[in-house]
Amino acid sequence: MSCLFCRIVDREIPASIVYEDDRLLAFTDINPQAPTHVLVIPKKHVPSLNDLQPEDDRLVGELVRRAAAIAHERGISAGGYRTVFNTNLDAGQTVFHIHLHLLGGRSMQWPPG
Ligand code: AMP
Ligand code: ZN
């Protein structure tokens, strides 16, 4: 399997794992853009938001709620945080295994670059 994040799921590549269950994995981004920068992914390989199917609705719900739970654990829920899915070239997606960025611990600008 050549997908980077599938290889992290399979423990072929190390990562700093912050959460795991049978359907999800969360780990620290290797190039953090904020004091908290965690990626939450499904273990199932889905390339991008464009590829989600109706049967993935529960999985997406779990993904988003897990990001909120990690934000709560990190103490950044009240102050605020940002969650981002980058999709394809114009958004700068570089890893084509869907991942939700959880960024927090500093104030952020809007609009994003
Ligand atoms: P995106 O640009 O939205 O596709 O995000 C991909 C993210 O994966 C980037 O923020 C990278 O820093 C991060 N990343 C790439 N390789 C690794 C890795 N081996 N472990 C953790 N994060 C990674
Ligand atoms: Zn994958």
Side-chain angles (χ1 to χ4, degrees), residues 3 7 19 34 38 40 47-48 63 69 73 90-91 96-97 103-104 106:
C3 170
R7 295 182 72 191
Y19 177 82
V38 171
V40 190
S48 83
L63 203 66
E73 285 168 16
D90 278 355
F96 288 84
H97 180 131
L103 296 140
R106 65 170 173 84

Side-chain angles (χ1 to χ4, degrees), residues 85-106:
F85 288 106
N86 290 323
T87 302
N88 281 350
L89 187 65
D90 278 355
Q93 185 177 5
T94 58
V95 178
F96 288 84
H97 180 131
I98 196 168
H99 48 281
L100 181 57
H101 292 261
L102 166 63
L103 296 140
R106 65 170 173 84

Side-chain angles (χ1 to χ4, degrees), residues 51-94:
D51 304 294
L52 287 168
Q53 302 300 316
E55 59 265 29
D56 297 319
D57 285 0
R58 180 180 162 206
L59 186 61
V60 173
E62 290 174 350
L63 203 66
V64 173
R65 290 201 346 102
R66 182 51 50 190
I70 295 168
H72 181 74
E73 285 168 16
R74 298 289 178 98
I76 59 173
S77 292
Y81 55 92
R82 185 165 291 168
T83 46
V84 177
F85 288 106
N86 290 323
T87 302
N88 281 350
L89 187 65
D90 278 355
Q93 185 177 5
T94 58

Side-chain angles (χ1 to χ4, degrees), residues 1 6 8-9 25 28 35 49 54 58 68 72 75 77 85 96 105 110 113:
M1 173 62 79
C6 283
I8 288 176
V9 169
L25 191 69
T28 304
L49 226 64
R58 180 180 162 206
H72 181 74
S77 292
F85 288 106
F96 288 84
W110 192 262

